[in-house]
Amino acid sequence: MASEVARPAKRPLADRASTMWLVTAAFGLVLVFWAVLTPLYGAPDEIAHVDSAIRVAQVHTWPAPGEAHYLSGVTYTKFGELQLRNDQRSTFAEIFADRPGISPGIDQMTQHPPLFYLMAAVVLKLVHFMDLRWDIVVMILRYFDILLVLPLPWLVFASVKRVLKSPKIALLGAVSLFFVPQLQQIVSAVSNDSLAVLLGAVTAWLMIRFLTGAQRVRDVVFVSIALGLFLLTKGTAVPAVPFVALGLLFARRVVPVGWGRRILDTLLGGAVAGVIGGWWFVRNIVLYHDIQPSGLAGQRPTITWPEGEGRDLGNYMQAFWDTVTGSFWGRFGGLQYPMTPYLTDLLTAVSLLVVAAFAFRRGPFRRDALLIASFPVVTLLLLIANTWRVYGRTALVYGVQGRYFYIAIVALIVISAIAWSRAVVEPKTMLLAARAVVIGAPAVTVYGLSLEYRGAYEQLHLAFDSDGAYTWAYSSAVGPHWIALVVALTAVVGLVAVIWCFRAVSQRVLPEESGLVREAVPANEGNRR
């Protein structure tokens, strides 16, 4: 005779921690690849971020916006030694001994709050940066930025799973980070964007937890602490304020509460975030009469429009679309190596159409979707308002960057996941779509890496020759052996991750796999159990 006993089922592959650790390892290695591939100071504003971190580490000052000058030693690293072989470059101690003081150029980064630069300065002190070659110091700061954003795949996975309760869709959300190689390059360079992306993602994740039931007082405090730290990092955090306020005020409550409790939660959240980071912007208003004063305001041209001429909405919208879409998905180097607009326009148009058509339909996710969408929507509206104002003053459409939306990357992916889960419902189509994401997202990353290499080392020719490889190997701070190791590890781990995720999204999950699997065993064995 045999009797049935219950044993815990194995988790589906998509819901195993090992799967997410593998995705995170692949993501981290891709970021390291970007760090060793991107030429020194080859990412937007990288030298300014390095300069500000060193200023804090050296002289512990944070000048007013527009009053910080580059350190002479830092500018020398770019204009005096950047073209040298890596083994011929100087230490910062040697450079600053020969070139003390400041240069005429303005470092605009003091327009931001100082949290990232304080953290970077601590890293510089810990590694005794003055005794190191300057290019090694830049690489250390790049690796520090990478460490900051390593939790990003986990935050995406947890947020999507919290809303949709589907490990497979949550895994696809994490994998979709590989669709955005520009994000990868930005957070693997020296930039305050890395900390802003991390804290924006944490704020979104905690807010999504609140929207889906984690609604105790401590949950309000946690999301407010994250928001406060976010505000102390960068002015682009401002759109998170209405996102959090609207969420606390209008979230569907697990335990019904009145408007009094909702208002108290919102006020508590505002008070905590204000004490931690919001005070910086109150200070800006008092001192500079602006929430976010520009560090380069005095450097930008002003014009008088000819009589009868002024801002052209059509020209503005065309420039806005081209710049935002291109620099969101991939415009590498100093924004001069763009991915083909056929791909970036397609990705943008399809994403927007699916979200508009399916994300906000009547149903159980509608309120959550609207509240989560407020984060990127407010970001968009503020970006339009600011750049339209600048356009009127300068006749130029600039300050338009797709990377400003990376602070809301978790919210963007969750909204997309809601929309696609409604748009694709037939099982075979769902499987095909899931497999397309698992294969297509890494393919876009490879395309981005190849474009950066060709732009930086092959004059954009479709080639990999000895001259380009030599330039990469010996202009990089780390040299050919470390580059070869990073390339090999990224290729192997990336391939394993693709195969594993392909299996995970293709796996049939039987009903009993979500509970207990029962197996037949001899009766006496069952009695012993």
Side-chain angles (χ1 to χ4, degrees), residues 302-348:
T302 58
I303 67 144
T304 301
W305 288 92
E307 186 176 353
E309 295 185 21
R311 291 175 289 196
D312 185 300
L313 180 61
N315 288 340
Y316 171 82
M317 293 305 298
Q318 181 66 55
F320 189 93
W321 171 271
D322 291 343
T323 307
V324 169
T325 57
S327 60
F328 178 86
W329 301 102
R331 181 173 288 179
F332 310 113
L335 303 177
Q336 71 265 41
Y337 313 139
M339 291 167 55
T340 172
Y342 294 109
L343 177 61
T344 56
D345 285 351
L346 177 65
L347 289 171
T348 307

Side-chain angles (χ1 to χ4, degrees), residues 231-503:
L231 289 168
L232 205 55
T233 301
K234 197 166 185 176
T236 51
V238 170
V241 175
F243 164 57
V244 171
L246 290 170
L248 294 176
L249 198 58
F250 294 108
R252 183 185 294 106
R253 296 298 183 113
V254 176
V255 177
V257 296
W259 282 105
R261 172 61 187 276
R262 292 173 180 269
I263 293 171
L264 284 176
D265 282 346
T266 307
L267 292 175
L268 173 62
V272 172
V275 168
I276 295 173
W279 62 270
W280 179 268
F281 297 95
V282 176
R283 164 189 174 275
N284 282 348
I285 292 172
V286 172
L287 294 179
Y288 311 116
H289 310 292
D290 196 343
I291 291 178
Q292 175 72 33
S294 172
L296 291 177
Q299 313 294 311
R300 290 175 175 170
T302 58
I303 67 144
T304 301
W305 288 92
E307 186 176 353
E309 295 185 21
R311 291 175 289 196
D312 185 300
L313 180 61
N315 288 340
Y316 171 82
M317 293 305 298
Q318 181 66 55
F320 189 93
W321 171 271
D322 291 343
T323 307
V324 169
T325 57
S327 60
F328 178 86
W329 301 102
R331 181 173 288 179
F332 310 113
L335 303 177
Q336 71 265 41
Y337 313 139
M339 291 167 55
T340 172
Y342 294 109
L343 177 61
T344 56
D345 285 351
L346 177 65
L347 289 171
T348 307
V350 170
S351 299
L352 291 177
L353 286 172
V354 171
V355 166
F358 295 98
F360 309 109
R361 288 187 171 185
R362 190 179 302 277
F365 304 125
R366 187 179 191 181
R367 182 185 300 197
D368 292 345
L370 288 169
L371 292 172
I372 295 167
S374 66
F375 194 1
V377 167
V378 173
T379 302
L380 173 64
L381 294 176
L382 290 178
L383 181 60
I384 291 173
N386 183 58
T387 54
W388 180 254
R389 176 175 57 85
V390 171
Y391 178 41
R393 185 172 65 85
T394 66
L396 299 172
V397 182
Y398 60 78
V400 180
Q401 296 297 333
R403 69 177 185 268
Y404 295 153
F405 291 91
Y406 296 157
I407 58 165
I409 192 69
V410 168
L412 288 169
I413 292 175
V414 171
I415 292 298
S416 297
I418 293 172
W420 283 102
S421 69
R422 290 174 165 179
V424 183
V425 294
E426 200 277 324
K428 289 185 178 179
T429 308
M430 291 171 62
L431 179 60
L432 289 174
R435 288 174 170 175
V437 170
V438 170
I439 295 173
V444 174
T445 286
V446 172
Y447 169 46
L449 289 166
S450 71
L451 185 56
E452 171 65 19
Y453 171 79
R454 289 185 285 119
Y457 306 110
E458 302 285 0
Q459 290 76 51
L460 284 175
H461 297 301
L462 184 61
F464 183 85
D465 59 29
S466 58
D467 289 341
Y470 182 90
T471 302
W472 179 19
Y474 291 100
S475 64
S476 169
V478 296
H481 297 98
W482 178 247
I483 289 174
L485 178 62
V486 169
V487 171
L489 281 176
T490 305
V492 171
V493 174
L495 181 59
V496 171
V498 169
I499 294 171
W500 190 265
C501 291
F502 192 89
R503 289 181 57 206

